[in-house]
Amino acid sequence: IETSIPYLKKHNISVFFDAEHFFDAYTAHPAYALKVLRSAVRGGADCIVLCDTNGGTLPLAVEHIVNTVAKKIDAPLGIHAHNDSDTAVANTLTAVACGCTHVQGTINGIGERCGNANLCSIIPNLKLKMHKNCVTDPQMKKIAEVSRFVYELANLPPNKHQPFVGSSAFAHKAGVHVNAVKKSADTYEH
């Protein structure tokens, strides 16, 4: 790691070091996992990306581990989360709250096994709820269009129940819900 990264850097290549299996490695052997990250930093990596490759880490563990790493590693941090435990979005948002500035994910969470962190949920949460200016307002308005476009390219049916971009995400049918939303959207919309 420490000798490979400088080779790339001398050729003017930005290096984002993806620490594959980092969360599982840290849980099994924290000293070694941190040693690997320090090696990447000494080599000159531009960003250290903490990967939940197996997708089994829970948000509280992500919070603890990212906070620990942030105190011990002097480099920008990123997050790469898989969704095998249905926690990839939560883990990504938690990592950003703990200081990660680089986010990896995919549109609609499409990826191997159970998928990756879903950017169609992450981006609106970062921008609207965490007040991170990660996309422009015009880009934000196109996120549902991008979601549908990627489903079309992948020859997959859109998930109408998908948060933020699904056709049912802000649909209301029950009479009391519709009546309340007409008076104040906050009653049944986050």
Side-chain angles (χ1 to χ4, degrees), residues 38-55:
R38 287 187 184 105
S39 179
V41 171
R42 283 192 305 272
D46 296 290
C47 183
I48 304 296
V49 183
L50 309 177
C51 302
D52 184 23
T53 308
N54 290 341

Side-chain angles (χ1 to χ4, degrees), residues 24-177:
D24 292 329
Y26 184 89
T27 300
H29 199 313
Y32 180 75
L34 289 169
K35 182 178 178 181
V36 169
L37 298 186
R38 287 187 184 105
S39 179
V41 171
R42 283 192 305 272
D46 296 290
C47 183
I48 304 296
V49 183
L50 309 177
C51 302
D52 184 23
T53 308
N54 290 341
T57 308
L58 297 178
L60 288 175
V62 167
E63 179 180 21
H64 169 72
I65 294 169
V66 173
N67 281 332
T68 301
V69 170
K71 292 175 189 166
K72 298 181 182 223
I73 300 298
D74 187 26
L77 297 176
I79 183 69
H80 175 105
H82 286 253
N83 203 36
D84 299 73
S85 295
D86 204 19
T87 58
V89 170
N91 285 344
T92 300
L93 297 174
T94 298
V96 170
C98 294
C100 287
T101 56
H102 171 80
V103 170
Q104 294 181 3
T106 64
I107 298 298
N108 301 320
I110 296 171
E112 65 272 357
R113 299 186 320 273
C114 300
N116 296 83
N118 185 352
L119 291 171
C120 294
S121 295
I122 292 167
I123 292 169
N125 277 306
L126 288 176
K127 185 163 178 76
L128 302 173
K129 298 186 178 209
M130 296 174 72
H131 309 290
K132 304 282 185 187
N133 198 21
C134 56
V135 296
T136 65
D137 289 344
Q139 289 170 327
M140 184 69 184
K141 289 179 180 179
K142 290 187 172 253
I143 199 158
E145 179 183 333
V146 170
S147 170
R148 287 188 299 274
F149 177 73
V150 170
Y151 276 131
E152 180 68 27
L153 283 178
N155 199 28
L156 294 170
N159 176 357
K160 72 179 195 169
H161 300 289
Q162 189 172 336
F164 294 104
V165 298
S167 60
S168 294
F170 298 102
H172 304 286
K173 293 182 181 175
V176 71
H177 288 213

